[in-house]
Amino acid sequence: MFNIKKTIKKYKNFDKTFIESFIGIPSGYGGLKKPFYGTYSQFIKKYPNFKTNKKIPTVLFMHGSGKFVGGETYRQWIVEDCNFAFISPNSHAIKNRPKYKSPSSKKIYNEVHKIRQAELKYNTKMLLDLKWTSKKNMFLIGSSEGALAVGIYKGDEYKARVILAWSCEDGYYSSDTSIGAKTTKPILAIIGSHDEYFSTNSKFVDDKDENISGHCLEALLEYKNSKVVILPKTKHKLLDNIYTQSEIVNFLMFWNNKDCFDNNSY
């Protein structure tokens, strides 16, 4: 497993991933008349004394390799449909962070995966330090590169996870893809049948590798509270499918209300 402390020490200004994170705060909390969208630094500058009597369910969102591309839409769903807070660490704020263009060497991919694990651990700690987050109702979501980070993360701080546009499988992109959550944890995995990077039709997947299925079903067979959604005729950009929004929102709202299900199932 990745050495998180070593990675944080290697790459400078890890604090910027949180300070310059992309956030959303729903209206009604702390006297907000309308939702706040911006960065964390902008939020604390505008609302330096932000307080709320009721803790806010919160999503930590790990964006993909293209910074916050598409994140604005996910953020709006989380804030306005779920009434949750949203925080997405800014991975590209890290000084000298390696980048890639697929196909690339597994060495470069793995270096990025190390960074994303360190970033996730660091920002989870920062999230727990915030006074307005509901520590019992924290959710972890990741897309593409960020989905791999979410999938293999071994922390137990989050009530449930959502894996978007990644197949939970070894291959050209990574060789360390074991799901890090306990088998009782709820996980929603969504992928398009025609994903350009992780489906069986991907040009990056070796045709000789019969173990590639293009989805997370095999990886989540022991996760009784998991759900795998394969969207037909859908590519890597899940936002193009009309069902993506309802799948994510319904999953989060269901697991946020712990009284809706038998406690023995969680």
Side-chain angles (χ1 to χ4, degrees), residues 19-42:
I19 294 170
E20 298 305 324
S21 62
F22 309 98
I23 79 167
I25 308 294
S27 61
Y29 288 98
L32 294 183
K33 301 298 183 183
K34 60 180 182 179
F36 172 87
Y37 296 115
T39 65
Y40 181 74
S41 61
Q42 291 170 341

Side-chain angles (χ1 to χ4, degrees), residues 73-260:
T73 300
Y74 290 116
R75 178 169 62 179
Q76 184 176 2
W77 294 349
I78 299 304
V79 171
E80 298 183 20
D81 293 357
C82 299
N83 208 37
F84 289 7
F86 174 103
I87 298 180
S88 179
N90 186 349
S91 184
H92 290 276
I94 300 171
K95 188 176 182 180
N96 298 323
R97 180 193 190 277
K99 300 177 183 180
Y100 60 83
K101 183 176 181 180
S102 293
S104 189
S105 70
K106 191 167 288 187
K107 180 180 179 180
I108 294 177
Y109 286 134
N110 284 335
E111 189 62 34
V112 172
H113 299 327
K114 289 179 185 178
I115 292 173
R116 299 313 298 270
Q117 285 302 292
E119 171 192 330
L120 208 169
K121 189 67 176 179
Y122 177 85
N123 281 273
T124 296
K125 180 182 182 301
M126 299 303 293
L127 196 62
L128 289 169
D129 287 342
L130 292 176
K131 295 181 179 180
W132 43 264
T133 55
S134 174
K135 308 306 185 287
K136 294 182 179 179
N137 294 287
M138 295 186 356
F139 298 85
L140 185 58
I141 302 179
S143 177
S144 190
E145 179 186 285
L148 188 150
V150 165
I152 69 175
Y153 180 63
K154 294 186 180 299
D156 195 37
E157 303 90 348
Y158 296 92
K159 177 178 278 191
R161 307 185 188 197
V162 179
I163 296 171
L164 303 172
W166 178 55
S167 62
C168 306
E169 297 175 301
D170 294 345
Y172 79 96
Y173 195 59
S174 177
S175 54
D176 182 13
T177 58
S178 298
I179 300 299
K182 294 179 180 178
T183 55
T184 52
K185 289 289 186 178
I187 299 177
L188 169 65
I190 307 176
I191 194 168
S193 63
H194 289 65
D195 189 291
E196 302 97 303
Y197 300 98
F198 302 112
S199 73
T200 54
N201 296 318
S202 170
K203 63 182 180 180
F204 304 116
V205 173
D206 190 341
D207 293 335
K208 298 178 182 179
D209 194 342
E210 298 178 353
N211 295 319
I212 298 296
S213 64
H215 53 72
C216 290
L217 184 58
E218 288 293 328
L220 296 176
L221 281 178
E222 300 301 318
Y223 288 76
K224 63 180 181 178
N225 292 316
S226 67
K227 180 179 182 180
V228 177
V229 178
I230 304 171
L231 299 171
K233 297 296 182 181
T234 302
K235 294 185 177 181
H236 195 61
K237 187 181 177 183
L238 295 178
L239 292 174
D240 288 340
N241 191 288
I242 60 173
Y243 292 110
T244 300
Q245 180 176 3
S246 60
E247 288 290 350
I248 295 172
V249 170
N250 291 339
F251 178 82
L252 293 175
M253 296 302 289
F254 176 82
W255 287 105
N256 184 57
N257 189 346
K258 64 181 179 180
D259 295 328
C260 284

